[in-house]
């Protein structure tokens, strides 16, 4: 069982930056791949970025490539999503998830989500 708590969301102007954090409970954090998903109103939840359990490999969606970076600190049981050059279309609820595989579209455990709003 893994419990996940996201933080770091908020309101930011277009072109700004945010760093999301996801703190995990449990001793098995490093055994899980982790991912950041987002869901905008009326849209399906989509994978934005993923990272393997050891942090050696990462995935970033085409729409986020070059602007978003995923990382993790297994000593702190935390995964991060650094977002630069934010756009209004990045507005969504962002969720972190523990996954079996770092590019999986499905999570085994989910956080409650954090709202990111980008104003134009």
């Amino acid at each position: 069982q893994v419990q996940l708590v996201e933080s770091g969301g908020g309101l930011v102007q277009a072109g700004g930056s945010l760093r999301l954090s996801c703190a995990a409970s449990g001793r098995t954090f490093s055994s899980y791949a982790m991912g950041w998903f987002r869901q905008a109103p009326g849209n399906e939840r989509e994978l934005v970025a993923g990272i393997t359990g050891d942090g050696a490999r990462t995935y970033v969606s085409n729409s986020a490539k070059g602007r978003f970076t995923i990382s993790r600190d297994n000593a702190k049981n935390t995964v991060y999503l650094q977002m630069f050059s934010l756009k209004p279309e990045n507005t969504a609820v962002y969720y972190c998830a523990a996954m079996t595989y770092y590019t999986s579209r499905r999570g085994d455990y989910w956080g409650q989500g954090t709202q990111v709003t980008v104003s134009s």
Side-chain angles (χ1 to χ4, degrees):
Q1 188 80 5
V2 178
Q3 293 183 324
L4 305 170
V5 179
E6 301 98 334
S7 61
L11 175 64
V12 63
Q13 288 188 331
S17 301
L18 280 176
R19 188 176 81 156
L20 305 183
S21 299
C22 174
S25 64
R27 302 179 213 175
T28 60
F29 177 69
S30 62
S31 68
Y32 285 94
M34 296 296 296
W36 285 98
F37 292 73
R38 67 185 175 199
Q39 187 167 21
N43 290 356
E44 293 186 353
R45 193 173 296 188
E46 61 174 345
L47 177 66
V48 176
I51 188 167
T52 55
D54 62 2
R57 288 175 290 170
T58 62
Y59 161 84
V60 179
S61 68
N62 287 336
S63 64
K65 201 163 290 184
R67 299 185 300 116
F68 292 9
T69 302
I70 187 170
S71 62
R72 67 191 295 161
D73 185 339
N74 285 345
K76 295 182 178 179
N77 278 15
T78 302
V79 62
Y80 305 97
L81 183 68
Q82 178 70 57
M83 304 185 291
F84 297 102
S85 301
L86 283 161
K87 305 175 182 179
E89 53 263 41
N90 298 140
T91 294
V93 178
Y94 284 70
Y95 300 88
C96 73
M99 309 188 294
T100 303
Y101 194 67
Y102 74 114
T103 58
S104 174
R105 266 52 178 177
R106 303 172 72 174
D108 296 332
Y109 301 98
W110 294 91
Q112 82 288 350
T114 186
Q115 176 71 46
V116 172
T117 302
V118 184
S119 63
S120 57

